[in-house]
Amino acid sequence: MTENIELNPFEIKTELSKINNALTGISDYENYAANYRVLDAQNDKSIIIKLLFREISSQHINPELIKFLLLRYCPAKELTDRLWTVIKNNLSSNSAKIFALDLLRDLDTNWSYEQCEQYLENPDELVNADTKKLLNQAIINPEVQIDFLDFFNSLPDTDKIILLKSLSQDYTKDELANMLVPVFLSMPDTEAGKIALELLGNSKSPLAYHALLNTLEYADTKIVPAIQKNINLLKLSGIREDNTKEFYKNLLKDSKPYKFCITYPDGHGNQAIIISRINSSGKIQFVAIVIDDYKGIRDCFGFNEISKFECNAIIERFYRGQRALDIEPGILKTILLDAEKLSANKIPYEYACWKNLIADVKPDKTKIEYKNKKITKKEFEEILKYDFTDYWFLNSAYSDEFEEFIKILNKTSTEDYEKIIEDNLYKIFYPQEYSVWKKRILHTALLKSCDGEKKASQNLYSLYNDKELLHEFLKNVIRKSIYEYYFSLQDKDKIKAIEDMWVK
């Protein structure tokens, strides 16, 4: 049963959102045990606890539900210690501190709001002497950087701007730019993002120069002039070239690439990526990233220092049921850079922090030499059996066009399925969608080559260039989608008819 499967961090985040949505308007959480079965079944509750503490600031989940789940999954001593860490942390928002104090009272400690007033600061007092230490730590520890950004994103928009301006008055160069870059990359079209861009231009930091130069390549045309203006300001301050390679090389000198993995894209273009580095003491910096071929970087989650055992356990859970291939760091960096271009103005700030783990890796843009040949019918049938095609189908909510097709499908007898597939194929795969699927095939050819499957790689490249066979391939995607749709409904009559028609 799915309840017994160990979930990866992204799946746990999804499960938490699912529980939150299911229990909206509910207060007696203890009476809804069925909703917690999946989380209850997790042997390792540490990721659940970590994510729940992150949610205190994000406010995506009902605070009362967070309290209930923390009490359910976090041992009392650990919970008390973690709550005091939130209270005493200079970067915790007032609302987060109040949440922690409130929960401490539920734990029957002898503390009250009145006794802890010394820890409740006004927004104007948030930036104090300890912040500089935290900003310096954030350069080498992405988790510290993300903690700051979690706090930053919990603030009202006006307080975001106050905080940015306060930082710029007290700090300069690299420690400032290290915080401003993710703010700008994740929200360039907001007022806070625009302020961050201006402050980067005046930071005199090579890190700012490097980030803005790279962003210029794929930024929305509306903000290109502002980016160029701030690059020019950095040049006027004396920064003439991007010399951050040595900066990051020195920063990462105590570690080396460890495991770099990627999955084949599924039917929605999703791919799961692992990047990790190992240091001289055997500890691992680990980051998991989800990308797709529509919007680029979708999600990101990392740990700054874990053991090899923990790293391998997370990788096993992350890739459960999917085949992942080890890949050269340079090739994976190229794939991520392409995903960044698709993300344009919506790069998650977590990714903007963790991406520096491969700052010393040179992108590998080696082109594969393919023959210009047509594939045979047998080779085409082989493609339809490649392992990744098991996931290449559309679900009922894939797109408006496919939803319309499902409506037609439900009014059509099985003997007419081939006709409606032909009639609607290019409504589902309209020009932009058709282009995405073509590129997905070419991208998969590259991965097959990296995996040592040269013949499969050549076959996919030939398919990419063959309009007629590509037409047949997409028809097969729809056939598989129809089968999966009725399988999800457990419509035995339809399933048997489809199997008789297309499988046997």
Side-chain angles (χ1 to χ4, degrees):
M1 294 178 64
T2 56
E3 286 87 348
N4 296 324
I5 294 172
E6 289 292 301
L7 304 182
N8 66 52
F10 296 113
E11 291 169 325
I12 292 173
K13 284 173 72 175
T14 302
E15 188 65 25
L16 287 171
S17 295
K18 190 169 120 185
I19 294 170
N20 185 58
N21 292 336
L23 300 183
T24 299
I26 299 298
S27 57
D28 53 336
Y29 297 118
E30 64 278 0
N31 293 325
Y32 291 83
N35 290 275
Y36 318 124
R37 284 177 184 165
V38 174
L39 296 183
D40 287 349
Q42 301 301 298
N43 292 320
D44 179 7
K45 302 293 195 298
S46 63
I47 295 176
I48 300 174
I49 295 165
K50 186 179 180 73
L51 287 173
L52 286 169
F53 269 91
R54 279 274 168 86
E55 289 296 336
I56 293 173
S57 294
S58 71
Q59 301 178 350
H60 293 145
I61 293 179
N62 186 331
E64 293 304 313
L65 178 58
I66 295 175
K67 289 178 186 178
F68 173 80
L69 294 175
L70 282 173
L71 290 167
R72 189 179 185 91
Y73 298 123
C74 191
K77 174 68 167 62
E78 180 186 349
L79 181 54
T80 300
D81 290 345
R82 280 177 171 268
L83 290 171
W84 273 114
T85 299
V86 171
I87 292 165
K88 294 178 180 180
N89 187 344
N90 295 300
L91 296 180
S92 295
S93 63
N94 281 342
S95 61
K97 291 181 180 183
I98 290 169
F99 172 96
L101 286 167
D102 194 36
L103 185 48
L104 278 171
R105 293 177 71 183
D106 289 345
L107 289 168
D108 291 328
T109 64
N110 294 319
W111 301 101
S112 66
Y113 294 148
E114 292 76 17
Q115 291 169 304
C116 301
E117 282 180 346
Q118 61 179 307
Y119 298 115
L120 296 176
E121 305 171 49
N122 295 320
D124 294 341
E125 300 169 346
L126 285 170
V127 182
N128 54 36
D130 291 337
T131 307
K132 184 172 180 63
K133 181 180 176 182
L134 289 165
L135 293 180
N136 283 325
Q137 287 179 338
I139 293 179
I140 58 172
N141 186 340
E143 282 193 319
V144 174
Q145 191 180 13
I146 290 167
D147 285 343
F148 175 87
L149 292 160
D150 285 342
F151 159 74
F152 178 80
N153 277 277
S154 73
L155 297 174
D157 290 343
T158 52
D159 287 352
K160 284 187 176 81
I161 293 168
I162 291 170
L163 179 54
L164 289 176
K165 290 181 176 178
S166 297
L167 286 173
S168 70
Q169 290 169 7
D170 295 333
Y171 310 105
T172 57
K173 300 195 95 173
D174 296 339
E175 71 269 16
L176 176 63
N178 192 52
M179 288 304 184
L180 294 176
V181 167
V183 172
F184 168 63
L185 292 179
S186 62
M187 53 179 75
D189 51 353
T190 67
E191 194 59 33
K194 291 171 185 176
I195 295 292
L197 175 58
E198 289 178 15
L199 296 175
L200 284 169
N202 289 289
S203 68
K204 300 180 181 179
S205 168
L207 299 186
Y209 186 73
H210 171 80
L212 296 186
L213 270 184
N214 288 345
T215 306
L216 197 61
E217 185 180 349
Y218 56 79
D220 190 300
T221 53
K222 291 183 291 187
I223 63 170
V224 165
I227 295 172
Q228 189 61 65
K229 172 191 167 185
N230 284 283
I231 289 173
N232 292 338
L233 285 174
L234 288 164
K235 286 181 178 178
L236 288 172
S237 72
I239 302 172
R240 302 293 181 184
E241 58 182 326
D242 183 358
N243 60 3
T244 51
K245 184 176 179 181
E246 286 303 312
F247 175 88
Y248 285 114
K249 187 176 179 181
N250 184 60
L251 199 65
L252 298 166
K253 66 183 179 183
D254 190 43
S255 66
K256 61 183 179 180
Y258 181 52
K259 291 192 175 183
F260 282 62
C261 316
I262 190 169
T263 57
Y264 288 100
D266 65 13
H268 292 238
N270 296 306
Q271 289 179 273
I273 290 172
I274 294 291
I275 288 172
S276 61
R277 298 181 72 98
I278 185 167
N279 64 24
S280 56
S281 61
K283 291 295 185 179
I284 308 293
Q285 283 183 299
F286 171 95
V287 58
I289 305 162
V290 173
I291 66 172
D292 71 25
D293 47 18
Y294 294 94
K295 296 183 179 179
I297 312 293
R298 300 304 301 267
D299 208 346
C300 181
F301 189 93
F303 300 101
N304 192 57
E305 197 172 81
I306 58 176
S307 67
K308 279 186 180 181
F309 175 81
E310 289 171 314
C311 176
N312 293 334
I314 294 171
I315 289 175
E316 184 177 344
R317 289 160 64 180
F318 189 61
Y319 288 134
R320 184 191 67 250
Q322 281 187 283
R323 181 170 167 239
L325 56 129
D326 295 327
I327 192 167
E328 288 295 319
I331 295 174
L332 189 51
K333 181 162 185 176
T334 301
I335 291 170
L336 283 171
L337 288 174
D338 289 340
E340 285 183 31
K341 292 172 187 175
L342 286 175
S343 299
N345 299 333
K346 296 188 183 295
I347 292 178
Y349 63 80
E350 295 90 346
Y351 174 77
C353 299
W354 283 109
K355 65 181 281 193
N356 290 332
L357 259 62
I358 52 172
D360 61 342
V361 174
K362 184 178 179 181
D364 184 343
K365 298 184 179 180
T366 305
K367 291 189 176 179
I368 302 168
E369 295 295 327
Y370 289 111
K371 297 175 184 176
N372 195 9
K373 67 184 260 320
K374 291 193 67 84
I375 55 176
T376 64
K377 182 180 179 182
K378 183 180 178 183
E379 288 171 328
F380 177 71
E381 289 173 352
E382 285 176 5
I383 290 175
L384 300 182
K385 297 175 184 175
Y386 288 163
D387 49 5
F388 65 84
T389 63
D390 290 344
Y391 303 97
W392 282 28
F393 60 87
L394 318 182
N395 61 29
S396 56
Y398 181 82
S399 65
D400 292 342
E401 292 77 14
F402 191 67
E403 284 189 45
E404 286 301 314
F405 176 77
I406 291 294
K407 291 177 184 176
I408 297 169
L409 185 72
N410 286 327
K411 298 174 185 176
T412 307
S413 60
T414 52
E415 58 265 27
D416 292 326
Y417 279 2
E418 283 293 338
K419 183 178 185 307
I420 67 162
I421 290 173
E422 188 69 46
D423 291 346
N424 290 276
L425 190 67
Y426 293 112
K427 292 178 183 175
I428 298 168
F429 295 106
Y430 52 90
Q432 295 93 329
E433 183 75 3
Y434 182 81
S435 176
V436 168
W437 277 79
K438 276 197 72 174
K439 289 176 183 174
R440 188 176 301 164
I441 290 168
L442 187 61
H443 175 65
T444 307
L446 164 70
L447 295 180
K448 281 292 182 185
S449 179
C450 294
D451 206 16
E453 298 185 48
K454 303 300 182 185
K455 186 174 186 300
S457 180
Q458 174 64 58
N459 285 348
L460 288 166
Y461 178 78
S462 298
L463 173 64
Y464 167 81
N465 283 300
D466 192 319
K467 189 173 181 179
E468 290 182 11
L469 284 180
L470 195 53
H471 178 89
E472 289 303 313
F473 181 83
L474 294 176
K475 284 172 66 175
N476 195 70
V477 169
I478 300 301
R479 292 186 191 107
K480 189 186 292 286
S481 304
I482 292 171
Y483 178 80
E484 294 290 341
Y485 170 70
Y486 284 116
F487 188 83
S488 70
L489 298 178
Q490 291 296 294
D491 188 327
K492 294 181 180 179
D493 292 336
K494 289 282 189 182
I495 292 170
K496 184 179 186 308
I498 290 168
E499 287 178 343
D500 289 341
M501 182 167 53
W502 289 331
V503 179
K504 296 180 182 178

